Amino acid sequence: MPRCDTCGNDYRQSFQVTRDGSTYTFDSFECAIHKLAPRCDHCGCTIIGHGVEGGGKTYCCGHCAHRSGLTEIVDNAEHPAAT
């Protein structure tokens, strides 16, 4: 059986993900996220959704981007761009 690249589990229903020319085998989405998802450049959390980008970095949300000085990033009406 294929072995998960994150946890090493042998699982008959494993699946593969190809990213940037490399193929990985996983036994769960949790393991795929753990290995492949980006991390917020401010708080370090795993970015599972879209996230936001600015200044060559990736953030989990507008709040983290703002805290890093990127006040032009907007992720919702409650966090408008600074004027």
Side-chain angles (χ1 to χ4, degrees), residues 12-67:
R12 66 179 177 81
Q13 293 182 350
S14 63
F15 59 94
Q16 293 185 321
V17 174
T18 301
R19 177 180 170 191
D20 299 328
S22 296
T23 300
Y24 304 91
T25 300
F26 300 108
D27 67 342
S28 66
F29 285 113
E30 179 181 9
C31 283
I33 289 167
H34 182 73
K35 185 161 188 82
L36 299 177
R39 299 270 177 180
C40 177
D41 282 308
H42 177 74
C43 72
C45 77
T46 303
I47 302 171
I48 298 172
H50 293 284
V52 294
E53 297 180 26
K57 295 186 177 185
T58 304
Y59 303 96
C60 62
C61 62
H63 172 78
C64 282
H66 284 206
R67 297 287 299 205

Side-chain angles (χ1 to χ4, degrees), residues 60-83:
C60 62
C61 62
H63 172 78
C64 282
H66 284 206
R67 297 287 299 205
S68 296
L70 298 171
T71 57
E72 71 279 3
I73 291 179
V74 177
D75 66 354
N76 63 55
E78 271 65 44
H79 297 99
T83 56

